[in-house]
Amino acid sequence: MSANAMAAQDIRIGWTAWSDAEFVTKLAKRILEEKMDYEVELLQTDIAPQYQGLATGGIDIMLMSWQPGTHADYVTKMGDKIVNLGLLYTHARLGWVVPAYVPESEVSSIADLKKPAVRDRLDETITGIDPGAGLTRLSKQAIEDYGLDYELQISSGAGMTAALDRAIRRDEWIVVTGWSPHWMFGKYDLRYLEDPKGALGAFERVHAVARKGFYQDDVKAAGFFSRMQLPIDDLQAAMNDAQESSYEEAVTQYMANNEKRIHYWVTGEL
Amino acid sequence: MAGDSFITDFEIPIGDWVGAAVDWIQSNFTGVLDGFSDAIKFIIDNFEDGLLGIPPVLLALIIVAIAAWRVSWRFGIFAFIAMALIFGMGIWDETISTLALVIGSSFLALVIGIPIGIAMARKDMVEAVVRPVLDFMQTMPPFVYLIPAAIFFGLGKVPGAIATLVFAMPPAVRLTNLGIRQVSEEHVEAGRAFGCTDRQLLFKVQLPLAMPSIMAGVNQTIMLALSMVVIASMIGAGGLGNTVLTGIQRLDVGLGFEGGLGVVLLAILLDRVTQSFGIRKATGPSRLRTRFRQLLGKG
């Protein structure tokens, strides 16, 4: 019922170029525009400026706050300036990842990396991502906890996937610091190493986080975000679609297949 | 309607071609790429190990001495303060690592770039071909080089140096070309009249006269290399770039500023010292005369 002819309002959603965030953000934008008559502006930046933007009110909301572990730095820093609007998906996780052709008999858990033969094959290197990332902080901790004699090669998300691609083409062994949901699991045959000490944290939950006051300013939109939630398998499938075609097509596909669910997000009626 | 569908159907898949080309190079030239990679690794690693092998205080004093000798005693004082700041902020190792990468990749850029500049100056045909390539290298956003560099050369200092080299080389080529072309006809005529061969003309007349311009190119290349180091740390080049990125990513303004200040101090030092070589090398007519005398065997 949009018969009350609400004047179009702007909502500014921030996002970072991670494929899960991109899908969820573009899905939210389409629903808000097509079903709720909002004008949505998307702002793409790196992850840190997103939290900064929420704190200063430059953006209204972002849909990729990884809690409790990955984004702990930001959440504690911005604690009282941001408001959590609830879960988007669960069972996101961090971990160290190897290509499937690395035999499980030799490397199944992080502790196996201590074997001299394995260390040589891996060139004593763990391929990491950005220097300031939560995953990097936890990976450094893991190297310490397991007493590994390895260097964590700092680069960036793109650098890590490029190194993985290169290793797989050359049939070389590699360990990368990774996370789910991520498109690399759709493109390559990979597996997580077991982490008996839990150094890289357990499963993470991804939340929608808004600027302070957004809920009061726009209860309708805030209600939509607090109801929005996807099963992780649906999300991974949609991300694979997006890699094959485009995010826009994957969103269209998802909206066609999940009318009931989206109706609930929009109206709150089951 | 038909026209509309033509517009929407018309596509040139350049992105796919580039992707395919990268795949093809990667699968067919593995050996070549690895050899290239090892050579560059050797240069950069040795350079860095050499610099880090010198006790920090001694190296800092050497840098201060160079600044005072090449520029002025006042600049020596600045260099001393800069070194103190870098020690004080606890970013000495990162700064030296960045310095090694900048000097190493600038050195490679000059070894490749200056001969190309000379070739451009001597043949209009070469200039016509190389110029658009230089435009491309200089204007393509430097981030774009990162992923092919990482795919070809893995992660670390080597792809960082290569991405830096591509980004920083054009000014050296351009200004070498320009400097040689600006050597006046009279000088060239005079050289010819004294019976210079082409080689002698180049080394004894054109290059000495073009030196200020060439040194300006060297200076520009080093400055561009320095601006690339932060970006190159996204593929594992490390150094001050990591400090800056960590600061940005953790919303730690102070840390980001410290890394940034390190880059600025390094830039000022490198800029003034390389400029000093350009100024002192300026050749007046008196030196030319002695050169001609030498050519005639009366030196």
Side-chain angles (χ1 to χ4, degrees):
Chain A
M1 284 291 287
S2 57
N4 53 2
M6 284 240 315
Q9 316 187 10
D10 281 336
I11 298 184
R12 296 165 65 116
I13 308 181
W15 67 289
T16 294
W18 304 332
S19 50
D20 52 329
E22 182 164 5
F23 177 78
V24 172
T25 304
K26 288 184 171 169
L27 177 64
K29 175 180 156 84
R30 278 274 291 281
I31 296 170
L32 285 163
E33 289 186 335
E34 287 177 17
K35 313 237 177 223
M36 301 171 79
D37 286 342
Y38 281 98
E39 284 281 324
V40 176
E41 186 189 347
L42 296 187
L43 275 162
Q44 186 192 345
T45 70
D46 216 346
I47 184 67
Q50 292 285 328
Y51 280 93
Q52 194 66 50
L54 289 172
T56 54
I59 53 174
D60 294 311
I61 189 159
M62 61 95 133
L63 308 178
M64 59 220 162
S65 178
W66 282 54
Q67 297 181 23
T70 318
H71 291 178
D73 284 357
Y74 307 127
V75 174
T76 46
K77 203 161 200 148
M78 298 300 164
D80 57 343
K81 299 195 187 79
I82 55 178
V83 179
N84 193 327
L85 290 186
L87 282 178
L88 292 161
Y89 44 96
T90 59
H91 281 82
R93 67 170 295 190
L94 304 176
W96 288 3
V97 177
V98 293
Y101 55 73
V102 176
E104 204 152 355
S105 53
E106 290 186 59
V107 191
S108 67
S109 109
I110 294 179
D112 291 336
L113 298 176
K114 287 180 106 148
K115 298 177 188 166
V118 172
R119 229 180 88 207
D120 287 346
R121 289 276 321 243
L122 288 166
D123 212 11
E124 291 143 45
T125 305
I126 308 286
T127 302
I129 58 165
D130 313 62
L135 174 57
T136 300
R137 175 171 45 86
L138 294 166
S139 292
K140 281 182 180 160
Q141 194 55 51
I143 287 177
E144 242 169 70
D145 290 355
Y146 285 91
L148 298 176
D149 189 9
Y150 278 76
E151 191 195 345
L152 181 64
Q153 169 70 66
I154 302 288
S155 64
S156 56
M160 179 275 286
T161 46
L164 180 67
D165 184 86
R166 180 170 188 262
I168 288 173
R169 282 162 191 276
R170 296 169 160 233
D171 233 4
E172 290 169 355
W173 285 23
I174 188 170
V175 175
V176 301
T177 66
W179 66 92
S180 303
H182 191 296
W183 57 261
M184 65 184 177
F185 290 96
K187 187 166 176 181
Y188 313 108
D189 196 1
L190 308 168
R191 73 165 185 276
Y192 278 104
L193 294 181
E194 282 160 32
D195 177 12
K197 290 182 195 256
L200 295 160
F203 285 116
E204 292 275 88
R205 293 184 291 277
V206 180
H207 295 253
V209 178
R211 68 173 165 82
K212 214 174 169 165
F214 175 67
Y215 195 98
Q216 288 78 353
D217 293 348
D218 195 336
V219 177
K220 196 162 140 235
F224 160 76
F225 283 115
S226 62
R227 284 188 295 271
M228 184 176 183
Q229 195 175 346
L230 304 75
I232 188 89
D233 295 341
D234 286 17
L235 177 60
Q236 296 245 44
M239 281 159 63
N240 274 340
D241 287 350
Q243 279 290 320
E244 298 298 312
S245 55
S246 73
Y247 283 91
E248 280 61 31
E249 292 214 358
V251 167
T252 308
Q253 202 59 41
Y254 188 88
M255 285 175 71
N257 295 342
N258 294 276
E259 282 189 2
K260 264 205 170 111
R261 174 174 305 178
I262 291 172
H263 178 74
Y264 164 70
W265 294 351
V266 171
T267 60
E269 296 160 12
L270 278 169
Chain B
M1 275 314 277
D4 282 354
S5 75
F6 170 72
I7 295 288
T8 49
D9 291 344
F10 181 70
E11 60 167 328
I12 306 175
I14 288 199
D16 298 347
W17 295 340
V18 171
V22 167
D23 286 355
W24 183 76
I25 292 172
Q26 141 97 348
S27 37
N28 288 294
F29 292 96
T30 308
V32 178
L33 292 174
D34 285 357
F36 204 59
S37 166
D38 290 343
I40 289 180
K41 194 173 166 55
F42 178 80
I43 293 172
I44 303 269
D45 279 354
N46 275 314
F47 211 86
E48 188 178 6
D49 293 346
L51 283 177
L52 285 172
I54 304 170
V57 176
L58 182 63
L59 182 57
L61 287 174
I62 293 172
I63 292 173
V64 172
I66 290 174
W69 165 60
R70 288 303 319 180
V71 188
S72 67
W73 63 268
R74 284 194 193 83
F75 192 67
I77 292 172
F78 167 82
F80 182 82
I81 294 170
M83 291 296 122
L85 277 172
I86 288 169
F87 274 120
M89 294 189 292
I91 51 173
W92 177 261
D93 285 359
E94 288 85 350
T95 305
I96 294 305
S97 162
T98 290
L99 180 67
L101 186 72
V102 166
I103 296 183
S105 40
S106 301
F107 170 76
L108 288 166
L110 298 175
V111 166
I112 301 168
I114 290 180
I116 295 176
I118 294 171
M120 274 172 86
R122 308 189 72 168
K123 291 263 189 302
D124 288 351
M125 184 63 209
V126 177
E127 186 181 43
V129 173
V130 174
R131 193 165 261 215
V133 177
L134 292 179
D135 290 338
F136 184 95
M137 282 162 71
Q138 257 181 307
T139 50
M140 179 61 83
F143 289 95
V144 175
Y145 299 132
L146 295 182
I147 297 307
I151 287 177
F152 292 152
F153 304 105
L155 295 177
K157 294 208 175 302
V158 174
I162 289 171
T164 305
L165 180 154
V166 173
F167 182 68
M169 194 166 74
V173 182
R174 277 183 210 277
L175 285 157
T176 302
N177 170 38
L178 195 69
I180 294 175
R181 282 174 182 268
Q182 280 176 337
V183 172
S184 69
E185 276 303 314
E186 286 85 354
H187 284 121
V188 177
E189 284 293 327
R192 290 256 182 248
F194 284 109
C196 277
T197 60
D198 270 356
R199 177 173 292 260
Q200 284 173 322
L201 189 71
L202 177 68
F203 282 101
K204 300 194 185 275
V205 181
Q206 289 171 314
L207 280 182
L209 284 170
M211 202 39 91
S213 168
I214 294 174
M215 283 315 294
V218 171
N219 172 281
Q220 284 300 302
T221 288
I222 290 175
M223 297 316 263
L224 277 180
L226 202 47
S227 67
M228 187 69 189
V229 290
V230 174
I231 299 173
S233 68
M234 293 174 75
I235 47 173
L240 288 171
N242 268 7
T243 314
V244 173
L245 281 185
T246 308
I248 292 171
Q249 287 164 347
R250 297 229 171 115
L251 299 177
D252 186 339
V253 180
L255 184 67
F257 186 83
E258 285 185 343
L261 187 60
V263 174
V264 170
L265 294 173
L266 208 51
I268 295 173
L269 285 167
L270 284 168
D271 180 50
R272 298 292 183 283
V273 171
T274 49
Q275 257 183 7
S276 74
F277 286 93
I279 295 160
R280 308 248 168 132
K281 283 274 181 190
T283 334
S286 58
R287 285 209 36 196
L288 256 187
R289 217 170 294 143
T290 54
R291 285 210 176 278
F292 287 133
R293 280 216 197 97
Q294 281 167 354
L295 283 181
L296 292 167
K298 291 182 184 171

